[in-house]
Amino acid sequence: MVCFLFLSASAENCPLSCTCIRSTATVTCLDSPEIELPLVVSQWTHTLILRGNNVTTIPEGAFSKNGTELGLLTLLLTGNNVQVIEAYAFAGLPHLLHLDLSYNNLMVISAMAFGGLRELRYLYLNNTLAISGARQLSSALSSESLQSLQRLELSGNGLKAIPISRFDIFNLNALVLTNNSIEAIGKNNVSSLSEFKKIRLYLSQNPFKCSCELEPFYYWLKNGSQCPDSSRVLCAQPEARRGTPVEKLRREDVDCINPELEAVSYVFLGIVLALIGVVFLMVLYLNRGGIKRWLNNIREACRDQMEVYHYRYEQDSDPRLANVAV
């Protein structure tokens, strides 16, 4: 009778088409078309695995019935064709540490999708973002609810830049951006990374464009130790440098003069010279009387000197005057 009651209770608390193992506090639901959200699981569940199900939308409070909080620590939602994550989708999971949403097709991510996950340590979003989802990711990651986040993985999403505007709202130790479409790391990102030295940034398998724009990142990579896979951060452009590790480039490969800055410099120089010319002309104009007197004095002095030379010439050319002088 006791065994029967135990089995009945287990069956009652276990979602349809799922496997529930209380000894490991794990509920697993694999490749089932019958899985729907919100999903009700037992209070004792610490690990929930949903994989290979057709769950296109994660609605608000998807894992919390009537606002009841669960002690869930790990939530794996890989390969479910998830396309939409609504605001506060994970509400009621205040103790969640691991969240894996990899290998989905996220098109819509609410800015508050991760709202309430104040203890989340690990967030995996590998190979899961559609183009529209990638554009919305930055807003979703700006939530201050992710204050405890230590590791963020975003591999294989076609990202062209680091989707984090502020590092101070996280507790990040590792940011994985491998196998994306990043061509350069901007100066602002380099400055932020230099400030938060404990962050390890993984960047291999990105098509870096090794030109002037890469200069700040080049020096950060070459002189720092925050990129563990730096030896596999390679140039994709230009063709002459394809396959060359960024940290092995020569200084002259990235120390380029900005053409716009050079043009501005020439314009500025022209303006300065023009101002000097104007000032010089103004000085001449304001002192025209004194300059005229000065020129007259010079002319008179030159005339007197020429008369002396002329007189001496006449003496030297007339022998009679020369004898008289003797």
Side-chain angles (χ1 to χ4, degrees), residues 36-52:
E36 294 182 355
L37 298 179
L39 184 69
V40 179
V41 296
S42 300
Q43 289 287 333
W44 50 259
T45 306
H46 286 170
T47 300
L48 176 58
I49 303 172
L50 300 179
R51 184 180 299 136

Side-chain angles (χ1 to χ4, degrees), residues 95-111:
H95 306 297
L96 191 66
L97 301 178
H98 298 77
L99 176 59
D100 193 345
L101 286 158
S102 300
Y103 300 99
N104 285 291
N105 186 30
L106 288 175
M107 300 178 183
V108 179
I109 308 175
S110 168

Side-chain angles (χ1 to χ4, degrees), residues 83-136:
Q83 299 175 17
V84 179
I85 303 179
E86 296 182 355
Y88 299 100
F90 307 100
L93 305 177
H95 306 297
L96 191 66
L97 301 178
H98 298 77
L99 176 59
D100 193 345
L101 286 158
S102 300
Y103 300 99
N104 285 291
N105 186 30
L106 288 175
M107 300 178 183
V108 179
I109 308 175
S110 168
M112 293 304 298
F114 305 113
L117 296 178
R118 295 193 174 276
E119 293 190 21
L120 190 68
R121 303 288 195 276
Y122 307 96
L123 177 58
Y124 303 96
L125 293 164
N126 298 314
N127 298 281
T128 199
L129 297 173
I131 295 175
S132 57
R135 288 196 295 263
Q136 299 166 31

Side-chain angles (χ1 to χ4, degrees), residues 15-302:
L16 188 65
S17 302
C18 297
T19 301
C20 303
I21 304 176
R22 186 159 189 171
S23 61
T24 59
T26 301
V27 175
T28 304
C29 308
L30 304 177
D31 304 310
S32 174
E34 300 174 356
I35 296 298
E36 294 182 355
L37 298 179
L39 184 69
V40 179
V41 296
S42 300
Q43 289 287 333
W44 50 259
T45 306
H46 286 170
T47 300
L48 176 58
I49 303 172
L50 300 179
R51 184 180 299 136
N53 307 289
N54 190 31
V55 181
T56 57
T57 300
I58 303 179
E60 179 180 352
F63 305 95
S64 175
K65 183 179 180 181
N66 299 324
T68 303
E69 292 186 354
L70 292 178
L72 208 61
L73 301 178
T74 300
L75 178 57
L76 308 182
L77 298 170
T78 57
N80 289 294
N81 192 32
V82 177
Q83 299 175 17
V84 179
I85 303 179
E86 296 182 355
Y88 299 100
F90 307 100
L93 305 177
H95 306 297
L96 191 66
L97 301 178
H98 298 77
L99 176 59
D100 193 345
L101 286 158
S102 300
Y103 300 99
N104 285 291
N105 186 30
L106 288 175
M107 300 178 183
V108 179
I109 308 175
S110 168
M112 293 304 298
F114 305 113
L117 296 178
R118 295 193 174 276
E119 293 190 21
L120 190 68
R121 303 288 195 276
Y122 307 96
L123 177 58
Y124 303 96
L125 293 164
N126 298 314
N127 298 281
T128 199
L129 297 173
I131 295 175
S132 57
R135 288 196 295 263
Q136 299 166 31
L137 179 63
S138 181
S139 296
L141 292 176
S142 297
S143 172
E144 295 190 2
S145 294
L146 297 174
Q147 60 191 15
S148 299
L149 192 64
Q150 296 179 4
R151 185 178 183 89
L152 175 61
E153 293 194 8
L154 297 167
S155 294
N157 287 305
L159 299 175
K160 295 185 178 181
I162 297 178
I164 297 176
S165 56
R166 293 175 53 192
F167 288 100
D168 60 323
I169 61 176
F170 307 110
N171 189 30
L172 273 183
N173 294 323
L175 175 58
V176 182
L177 292 169
T178 57
N179 192 26
N180 278 290
S181 301
I182 299 173
E183 295 183 349
I185 302 295
K187 186 176 181 179
N188 291 337
N189 286 138
V190 170
S191 298
S192 297
L193 288 166
S194 298
E195 183 179 352
F196 296 92
K197 295 187 179 298
K198 72 174 183 177
I199 296 177
R200 295 296 175 262
L201 182 63
Y202 296 82
L203 287 166
S204 60
Q205 295 179 282
N206 278 288
F208 281 97
K209 185 178 180 181
C210 296
S211 60
C212 304
E213 292 82 4
L214 206 65
E215 181 181 359
F217 173 68
Y218 164 76
Y219 285 109
W220 174 83
L221 191 69
K222 189 176 182 65
N223 300 325
S225 59
Q226 289 181 254
C227 186
D229 60 348
S230 60
S231 62
R232 292 182 286 124
V233 177
L234 309 178
C235 297
Q237 299 180 54
E239 186 63 32
R241 297 172 191 156
R242 180 184 293 273
T244 302
V246 172
E247 63 181 2
K248 298 296 183 182
L249 293 173
R250 298 170 300 172
R251 179 181 298 179
E252 52 267 29
D253 292 334
V254 294
D255 283 350
C256 307
I257 298 176
N258 190 326
E260 295 182 2
L261 182 61
E262 186 177 14
V264 170
S265 299
Y266 282 122
V267 171
F268 181 74
L269 179 61
I271 293 173
V272 170
L273 292 176
L275 288 174
I276 292 174
V278 170
V279 171
F280 179 72
L281 291 175
M282 289 182 64
V283 170
L284 290 179
Y285 177 77
L286 294 174
N287 292 277
R288 60 188 183 278
I291 293 173
K292 186 176 181 179
R293 287 193 298 272
W294 179 70
L295 290 174
N296 287 334
N297 292 336
I298 292 177
R299 185 179 61 184
E300 293 298 329
C302 290

